[in-house]
Amino acid sequence: MPICKCASCGTQQTVSIPERVNVRENPEFKAGVRDGSIFVWTCPACGKPNLVTDQAMLYHDPDARLMVYLLPPGSISARMEDSLAKQSALISESLGDYTLRRVDDVGTLMEKVKIFDAGLDDCAIEMCKHVTRMEMAEKGDKDILQAKMKFFRMEGADNEIVFTYPKDGSMQCVAVGFNVYEDCAGIIRRNPSVKPSEGFARVDSGWVASFFG
Ligand SMILES: [Zn+2]
């Protein structure tokens, strides 16, 4: 259990966050991962909430056949990195049609869970973000190319896809039609080479750029 330091007053506290979450065995953990609250601890001295950003977590949803490995930079050594690569090849082989993803931060873990809970494919979502960013940049918003866009939710009768992104210190939303998502999913289906790598794969803006950059 890591010892964490309150960012506000410096009080140290032992914080217990599960290293493995299986949402079939512990369904109560799902909401905490989706909204990030599982990573928050409240300082007993000053009452301020703190976010644990450096702990690894393996999120497992057996019903969705999904595993997302949160591995913040520095949370594992080079040797562990090496053994993870070997293990993930074995896991891919033994689990078959499982979706295995690797993320670096809590926000991206939350996003992945939301995407798969909505029944969407994260590869198509990343491509959808890419297309949306390009369109917004063409209309004059050049900052959007560097902004971190995140899937927020699918809403309305038309299943609009809503993304959030930071701009001038606040969060903005942009909604795109479900047809854009379907077009992206179609392009991916027709291009078998556009797929995640073996094992716990990163599917992010860098992944999309490697095909369509
Ligand atoms: Zn404190």
Side-chain angles (χ1 to χ4, degrees):
M1 280 191 291
I3 295 171
C4 299
K5 200 173 167 182
C6 174
S8 188
C9 74
T11 298
Q12 294 199 343
Q13 172 80 1
T14 306
V15 179
S16 134
I17 294 170
E19 288 176 5
R20 284 163 185 272
V21 164
N22 180 317
V23 294
R24 186 191 282 167
E25 287 165 16
N26 296 96
E28 70 276 14
F29 285 147
K30 188 188 241 297
V33 173
R34 272 184 71 117
D35 66 10
S37 59
I38 202 168
F39 297 97
V40 175
W41 63 279
T42 305
C43 175
C46 74
K48 289 270 164 62
N50 285 271
L51 181 68
V52 176
T53 54
D54 54 1
Q55 193 193 295
M57 177 188 282
L58 180 62
Y59 174 89
H60 184 192
D61 185 343
D63 301 313
R65 305 188 67 74
L66 170 71
M67 276 191 198
V68 185
Y69 216 151
L70 165 65
L71 289 166
S75 65
I76 60 167
S77 63
R79 201 165 53 98
M80 276 174 69
E81 187 82 51
D82 200 43
S83 93
L84 176 73
K86 287 182 192 123
Q87 277 180 32
S88 52
L90 288 175
I91 291 173
S92 305
E93 247 171 56
S94 61
L95 294 179
D97 62 343
Y98 249 72
T99 301
L100 303 175
R101 293 291 181 265
R102 174 176 182 164
V103 298
D104 295 329
D105 58 79
V106 170
T108 311
L109 170 63
M110 290 161 62
E111 183 191 27
K112 291 291 179 199
V113 173
K114 283 186 211 166
I115 292 170
F116 288 104
D117 280 358
L120 300 169
D121 170 61
D122 65 334
C123 299
I125 285 287
E126 284 305 322
M127 201 169 157
C128 215
K129 286 186 200 172
H130 181 73
V131 172
T132 306
R133 264 197 296 260
M134 290 305 196
E135 262 180 27
M136 289 167 77
E138 247 171 52
K139 287 177 188 154
D141 187 353
K142 299 289 177 214
D143 295 342
I144 195 69
L145 295 175
Q146 309 305 325
K148 272 197 178 159
M149 202 175 250
K150 289 257 191 282
F151 171 78
F152 178 53
R153 65 177 180 213
M154 193 159 70
E155 67 179 23
D158 299 332
N159 288 337
E160 272 194 323
I161 309 264
V162 181
F163 296 119
T164 56
Y165 61 97
K167 189 175 172 71
D168 305 329
S170 68
M171 271 299 168
Q172 306 287 323
C173 283
V174 57
V176 302
F178 194 69
N179 60 312
V180 179
Y181 171 83
E182 284 178 317
D183 288 349
C184 292
I187 291 169
I188 290 171
R189 268 197 307 275
R190 289 190 299 276
N191 289 277
S193 64
V194 179
K195 59 170 191 235
S197 57
E198 290 287 300
F200 287 91
R202 276 198 179 86
V203 171
D204 52 17
S205 56
W207 176 81
V208 172
S210 70
F211 297 105
F212 306 100

